[in-house]
């Protein structure tokens, strides 16, 4: 049960943090200073994914967002 099981049953998986993500995050412009959000942006860029967020600053990085 729980949140993890619900996510997995709906087709969501875990997204590991990799060294390549850190490298991308370190090179991002400083539109956003929150480290966790910068890592999400890097992961989305590296994986060609869509990020679920209501934070309009993500648009400054050219990543696809959904919300």
């Amino acid at each position: 049960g729980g949140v993890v099981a619900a996510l997995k049953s709906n087709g969501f998986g875990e997204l590991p943090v990799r060294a390549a993500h850190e490298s991308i995050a370190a090179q991002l412009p400083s539109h956003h200073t929150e480290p966790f959000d910068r890592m999400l942006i890097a992961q989305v860029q590296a994986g060609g994914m869509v990020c679920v967020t209501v934070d309009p600053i993500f648009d400054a990085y050219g990543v696809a967002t959904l919300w």
Side-chain angles (χ1 to χ4, degrees):
V3 174
V4 173
L7 290 171
K8 286 184 178 184
S9 70
N10 284 287
F12 291 90
E14 293 183 44
L15 184 59
V17 175
R18 305 203 183 279
H21 299 145
E22 182 280 326
S23 178
I24 294 168
Q27 296 176 28
L28 291 173
S30 298
H31 304 304
H32 208 315
T33 58
E34 169 59 42
F36 183 79
D37 286 349
R38 292 174 62 81
M39 184 57 67
L40 285 174
I41 293 162
Q43 289 174 307
V44 170
Q45 286 183 348
M49 297 176 277
V50 176
C51 186
V52 179
T53 182
V54 296
D55 190 339
I57 295 176
F58 279 55
D59 294 337
Y61 293 97
V63 296
T65 58
L66 172 70
W67 192 269

